Amino acid sequence: MTTIRRTARLPGVPSYFKPQPRIPDYIATSFVQPRAAMPDGTAIGQMADDMREAAYREGGVTEDDLKVKGWTPAQIKRLGDDARQLAQRRAGFC
């Protein structure tokens, strides 16, 4: 007859303190604020960065891609041209 071997387990130690995760500073500062609530000046720069990242990864960006990122249709219409020009300048095309 075969026997089943099991590893020895220590009894659990109750804890009265919940572990609190510590988020490193480099992660806490890397979050992007919601795009729909950004003021226009900041939004143009962020949209330009989104366009550059998408151009690098996927070869380009569409209006639907920007909507998925959190941009509103009104922002895309209002800020899209300025953001595209800024993205091209940052990429060194202009």
Side-chain angles (χ1 to χ4, degrees), residues 68-90:
V68 169
K69 287 280 234 177
W71 297 103
T72 64
Q75 283 177 311
I76 296 169
K77 190 173 188 176
R78 188 176 68 245
L79 308 172
D81 289 336
D82 292 335
R84 179 184 44 79
Q85 291 173 4
L86 179 59
Q88 289 175 343
R89 277 197 310 272
R90 287 181 177 175

